[in-house]
Amino acid sequence: MSRRERARPARGGYRPARIPVATAAAPPALAKTAWRQAEARVTLHRDAGAGHRWLELAMPRAFPLPGAGQFVQLLLEAPAPVLLPRPMSVALVRRAAAGPVLGFLYAPVGDGTRALAALDVDDRVLVLGPLGRGFPLEVEGVPVLIAGGRGVAPLLFAAETLERQGRRCEFLFGARDAAHLVALAETRRRLDRMGGRLHLATDDGSRGVHGTVLELLDRIAPHLPAPRVIHACGPHPMLAAIARWGLRHSVPTFLAMESIMACGTGVCRGCPLPRSESERRRLSRARAPLPSLYGNPEFAMCCTDGPVFAAHALDWERLG
Ligand SMILES: Cc1cc2nc3c(=O)[nH]c(=O)nc-3n(C[C@H](O)[C@H](O)[C@H](O)COP(=O)(O)OP(=O)(O)OC[C@H]3O[C@@H](n4cnc5c(N)ncnc54)[C@H](O)[C@@H]3O)c2cc1C
Ligand code: FES
């Protein structure tokens, strides 16, 4: 298959995959995705502070545009220290005449991401995407975006999408200390431009509220008009706590999950997340079978059924 063929968009253009509305009678329909594999060129690669790097990749013109919360698989050209691609959330989509530019905020933590960190401008990477289901930003309510650490990047992308809908967000950002509020200056600058409100929390009190983002949420939520909707991205224990908060307060809550991934497309069954009891019951009552790429009634595949899940869909006791 030629490079041009690989990058050709779906007929009718790309529509970001959404979390379908679940009913007792029907399991989720297979989301319409239009992923492609394409060769990308590194156009910017710099230190982002707090042990993170910022990477920008120029994509072929026809590469489908990812939505906020979706991810791509980045595969290094041979010879590379790792065989499999590495999943990375899309943190920025910028349209340019030559084709879209995608941005990523990442931490070099192991062989794959350290090899990624060694790439120079003009080096090539294979990109598979856009993958998975992103944040359902059409859900009504005052958007409350909650970021832990590097979770800030995909949520800034979400904030910009919401801004285009004319919706201003409350943006809660937490880390263990001020030094770990990665890309804080840029976060502030972009939110100022959008009219979003930034609220900070650190575990040691060195910046913002002294405590976790959950404590910050407890303080802010009573001052926000209903309805509210929460979109969150960060470490799993933080997401589990936010999911329980959303369920307790009947606030629609959506969490961007991670898992170790190989294929990113639902085939290898390598990224299972346990479904909640209510979801297991619902799926076992459903008349039509669950699309196999989504896993089974016990386990969701993070890459296809997610990575963004509604709070009620997962078993937080087994995850948190
Ligand atoms: C949907 C999705 C989106 C992601 N987005 C980002 C992002 O925007 N920025 C970013 O820095 N990272 C992101 N990650 C995590 C990133 O993919 C992993 O850090 C990376 O795969 C590690 O590869 P490695 O070869 O460097 O490390 P490895 O040598 O494979 O692993 C190093 C260590 O990290 C652990 N690890 C590997 N993958 C994960 C994971 N997914 N979650 C938790 N621990 C893991 C391993 O168990 C090991 O302890 C995302 C993961 C997923 C599934
Ligand atoms: S990564 Fe292969 S099924 Fe999810």
Side-chain angles (χ1 to χ4, degrees):
M1 195 188 293
S2 74
R3 197 173 299 163
R4 178 184 292 182
E5 280 170 333
R6 285 199 301 260
R8 190 176 295 148
R11 199 141 41 101
Y14 174 65
R15 284 179 293 283
R18 296 291 180 209
I19 294 178
V21 176
T23 66
L30 204 54
K32 277 189 187 151
T33 51
W35 50 263
R36 293 287 181 274
Q37 188 169 51
E39 192 181 72
R41 184 174 61 85
V42 177
T43 52
L44 180 68
H45 204 179
R46 62 169 172 77
D47 185 57
H52 286 70
R53 309 269 303 158
W54 177 256
L55 171 71
E56 289 188 9
L57 297 177
M59 306 304 302
R61 193 172 289 132
F63 192 79
L65 297 182
Q70 288 194 294
F71 69 103
V72 299
Q73 291 270 62
L74 299 181
L75 179 62
L76 297 166
E77 286 192 329
V82 290
L83 175 68
L84 296 170
R86 294 298 189 256
M88 212 53 73
S89 303
V90 178
L92 170 111
V93 175
R94 195 174 53 238
R95 290 162 196 262
V101 173
L102 305 186
F104 305 90
L105 180 71
Y106 74 94
V109 292
D111 286 350
T113 44
R114 278 199 288 268
L116 193 65
L119 293 180
D120 287 323
V121 168
D122 286 336
D123 281 346
R124 309 282 154 161
V125 188
L126 276 178
V127 179
L128 179 73
L131 296 169
R133 294 196 277 183
F135 294 107
L137 298 177
E138 72 283 4
V139 176
E140 283 178 15
V142 175
V144 181
L145 309 189
I146 308 180
R150 62 176 159 79
V152 68
L155 285 176
L156 275 176
F157 180 17
E160 280 164 349
T161 309
L162 287 162
E163 186 214 4
R164 282 197 294 278
Q165 297 174 6
R167 294 164 72 192
R168 197 179 75 156
C169 66
E170 304 291 328
F171 200 103
L172 283 57
F173 183 16
R176 80 178 91 126
D177 56 33
H180 285 87
L181 288 166
V182 56
L184 177 59
E186 189 187 341
T187 302
R188 200 184 289 287
R189 184 179 55 73
R190 283 166 68 182
L191 283 170
D192 279 352
R193 191 181 45 70
M194 290 179 245
R197 279 204 297 231
L198 178 63
H199 312 268
L200 300 175
T202 48
D203 295 348
D204 68 353
S206 52
R207 187 67 75 88
V209 164
H210 189 168
T212 64
V213 279
L214 200 70
E215 290 165 277
L216 184 58
L217 178 63
D218 270 330
R219 284 192 192 202
I220 289 169
H223 305 289
L224 300 177
R228 297 158 290 181
V229 55
I230 294 175
H231 301 282
C233 186
H236 280 192
M238 178 197 110
L239 296 183
I242 293 169
R244 290 190 189 103
W245 191 99
L247 292 170
R248 212 167 42 246
H249 293 84
S250 302
V251 174
T253 299
F254 302 93
L255 304 309
M257 302 297 291
E258 288 187 8
S259 180
I260 291 178
M261 291 184 181
C263 70
T265 54
V267 176
C268 75
R269 324 305 262 177
C271 61
L273 297 177
R275 298 189 192 276
S276 65
E277 200 187 327
S278 62
E279 191 68 355
R280 290 200 301 271
R281 268 202 312 271
R282 189 182 69 76
L283 290 173
S284 63
R285 279 201 311 268
R287 280 196 284 271
L290 184 74
S292 72
L293 291 181
Y294 281 179
N296 58 45
E298 289 285 315
F299 290 94
M301 289 302 126
C302 182
C303 63
T304 44
D305 213 341
V308 176
F309 289 89
H312 63 77
L314 295 178
D315 183 341
W316 299 102
E317 298 312 311
R318 293 166 76 186
L319 280 162

